[in-house]
Amino acid sequence: RRLQAAEDAITAGELDLARDIAREVLSRASVPADRVRAWIIVIDSAGHTMAEVDAVFPQALADAGDDPRLLALVHYQLAWRALIVEGDFTEAREAAAHAAELAARGEDRRTELLSLAFQAQTETLMGHPEAPRTIKRALKEPQDPRVAWHHNGAGSARFRWLVMGDQLTEARTTVTALLREVRRRGSVESEVHFLRGLAETELRAGHCGRALELARDSLRLARDSGIGETASAMLTSLAEASGGDVDRALALAREAVEHAEEDGDQMYLSRALGALGYAQLVAGDPAGTVRSLRRVRRLELGLGITDPARGRWQGDLAEALVRIGEPAEAQDVIDTSREHALRLDRESVLAVLDRSEALVRAAQGDLEAAVAQLTSAQHRLGKLGYGLEEARAAFALARLRGRRPGSSAYDEATRMFRRCRALPWLRQVDESLTTPEPQPALAVPDALAGLAGLEVLASMERQVAALVMEGATNREIAARLFISVKTVEATLTRVYRKLGIRSRVDIVRLAAARRAK
């Protein structure tokens, strides 16, 4: 009865109570099955701070002995430890597969299903070719009703597969049904999880207002129960940056990063940094975006995550790199991500990568190709149902075409952002409309052609210098090259240093003098 009470306490979100009851049982129990069950409660109550209960695993394995049913319980938890503490997806997948085999031998269908579902989710995030087959195994009859609605069950694995595979309507139906069932059963942890899932689905569909409401509900419940706070803060940050308050988005993302680092949670650290990078991009800090998302790139490489649909940060990193004057690195991010997206048939990711590549082409002066690529990306994103990403493509297209404020291109972007209730992005449109329209595109490399001594300048520095010669302001240059004003200022500082001059006027004089020679 005590063990059942402890397990019910976990379901209800009373983690401290569950841990206390389990410890009491361990002080009295001598039967291996009771002791292992109690150890599992101690581990479960630790949540994403599994590193704090490392000492429990050897004791649980010792109590399990050679009983496959008991060993399956422990190895299932070891799979979670490999993922959360070690950040090793390969080890986590292997541990989950081993747990499923042990559970099958011990005729423990519930643990077998949980292990298969975990294996399926891990393979999905890895972009592993076995993922669809493992999901089918996890959904095979007979099912256990306790697993069917559980946030770590096959239903959850299937939902994740649908979201990553661009099947947003079916994903919404699936997660809505799961959320309804866990609320009926009173499972707090599963409710927090599925609230996040539904919020993510709405965010992908461009329903930013609805996503923000759901994300905030998830965060409130997570903080009340102490369950899933890092994940809920991360998701709420994404929702705030898309449809709410950008400053709050930045604060929540930094909170999530801090908690993930404190907990040693490698899996959610990459997700939290991804949210931070996105919020920084919306806030107009492309350099900050690059710092955050470069870390995500390194982390995911180390974790063995290859599916770009997992975090969907690649397009944001490429866009930010263009803005700070690093188009070559941006193209490398696009090329690497596109290879995986093509292999896994991630259509929405491919469209977003095309949107980013159009900005690279625009920065290199190929405006005609950039417009064509952006137009195609916008159409494909709209067809897939990604409302916010479609609106971002329309906004980039409006800026690329250089129309005057009030033009139909800007009107279309504004209409789309309003439909999404994407308030931070609407503010960006307003800011763009107050930026003076630059002169028609010029062939930047030709503007400095033949000037001796200017070969010391890098490509971006030459482009900025050429536009200064044409009389463009820093804001006009930023708009032309799709970079930030801060990047223009920093680039000009490097130009001054390399050429031994002090001001933009000196650039014009220097060029004029050298042409006269």
Side-chain angles (χ1 to χ4, degrees), residues 227-291:
I227 297 173
E229 291 185 71
T230 300
S232 293
M234 176 275 298
L235 198 282
T236 308
S237 171
L238 290 172
E240 291 282 0
S242 298
D245 183 274
V246 179
D247 289 336
R248 180 166 169 75
L250 289 166
L252 285 169
R254 291 188 176 110
E255 174 190 325
V257 169
E258 183 180 348
H259 286 174
E261 289 176 333
E262 288 175 355
D263 295 342
D265 187 342
Q266 296 298 303
M267 182 173 65
Y268 267 109
L269 177 57
S270 65
R271 295 296 306 275
L273 285 166
L276 178 58
Y278 174 65
Q280 289 167 322
L281 183 68
V282 179
D285 179 15
T289 296
V290 169
R291 286 193 300 272

Side-chain angles (χ1 to χ4, degrees), residues 4 70 158 204 218 245 249 257 267 287 338 358 397 436 463 479 505:
Q4 185 61 56
L70 299 181
R158 181 172 178 273
R204 299 283 174 230
S218 172
D245 183 274
V257 169
M267 182 173 65
R338 182 179 281 138
L397 194 58
Q463 291 181 71
V505 174

Side-chain angles (χ1 to χ4, degrees), residues 98-113:
H98 184 47
E101 292 171 7
L102 288 167
R105 290 210 322 254
E107 298 182 349
D108 179 359
R109 184 61 174 161
R110 179 176 184 272
T111 303
E112 181 186 8
L113 290 170

Side-chain angles (χ1 to χ4, degrees), residues 248-441:
R248 180 166 169 75
L250 289 166
L252 285 169
R254 291 188 176 110
E255 174 190 325
V257 169
E258 183 180 348
H259 286 174
E261 289 176 333
E262 288 175 355
D263 295 342
D265 187 342
Q266 296 298 303
M267 182 173 65
Y268 267 109
L269 177 57
S270 65
R271 295 296 306 275
L273 285 166
L276 178 58
Y278 174 65
Q280 289 167 322
L281 183 68
V282 179
D285 179 15
T289 296
V290 169
R291 286 193 300 272
S292 298
L293 298 187
R294 277 176 175 163
R295 284 188 68 189
V296 177
R297 194 182 188 192
R298 291 193 299 270
L299 276 169
E300 291 203 352
L301 181 63
L303 289 168
I305 298 172
T306 61
D307 193 335
R310 187 246 184 181
R312 297 176 182 267
W313 49 267
Q314 297 83 1
D316 291 336
L317 175 56
E319 181 175 334
L321 284 166
V322 172
R323 290 191 187 185
I324 67 167
E326 298 288 350
E329 185 181 347
Q331 190 64 56
D332 178 65
V333 171
I334 292 165
D335 291 342
T336 302
S337 304
R338 182 179 281 138
E339 180 182 350
H340 294 301
L342 284 168
R343 174 174 60 85
L344 297 166
D345 195 27
R346 303 305 193 210
E347 293 185 34
S348 64
V349 173
L350 289 168
V352 168
L353 291 174
D354 278 357
R355 184 185 69 201
S356 301
E357 189 172 54
L359 302 183
V360 174
R361 289 181 169 180
Q364 295 170 339
D366 193 353
L367 297 182
E368 184 177 346
V371 168
Q373 195 167 20
L374 267 177
T375 303
S376 172
Q378 179 185 338
H379 173 73
R380 286 148 56 205
L381 288 166
K383 189 175 179 181
L384 289 167
Y386 284 76
L388 182 58
E389 300 292 0
E390 178 192 11
R392 286 180 61 179
F395 181 33
L397 194 58
R399 295 179 64 188
L400 198 63
R401 285 172 169 163
R403 300 287 184 85
R404 293 186 177 279
S407 72
S408 60
Y410 277 104
D411 287 346
E412 183 181 18
T414 299
R415 176 180 57 78
M416 288 182 175
F417 283 136
R418 281 179 178 162
R419 183 181 64 196
C420 294
R421 291 178 61 189
L423 302 182
W425 285 102
L426 277 169
R427 284 190 283 273
Q428 286 206 23
V429 174
D430 290 341
E431 290 173 6
S432 294
L433 292 175
T434 61
T435 302
E437 184 185 8
Q439 297 299 312

Side-chain angles (χ1 to χ4, degrees), residues 465-482:
L467 290 169
V468 167
M469 289 169 52
E470 296 296 319
T473 66
N474 287 0
R475 293 191 72 183
E476 289 170 344
I477 294 170
R480 282 284 301 282
L481 299 181
F482 290 90

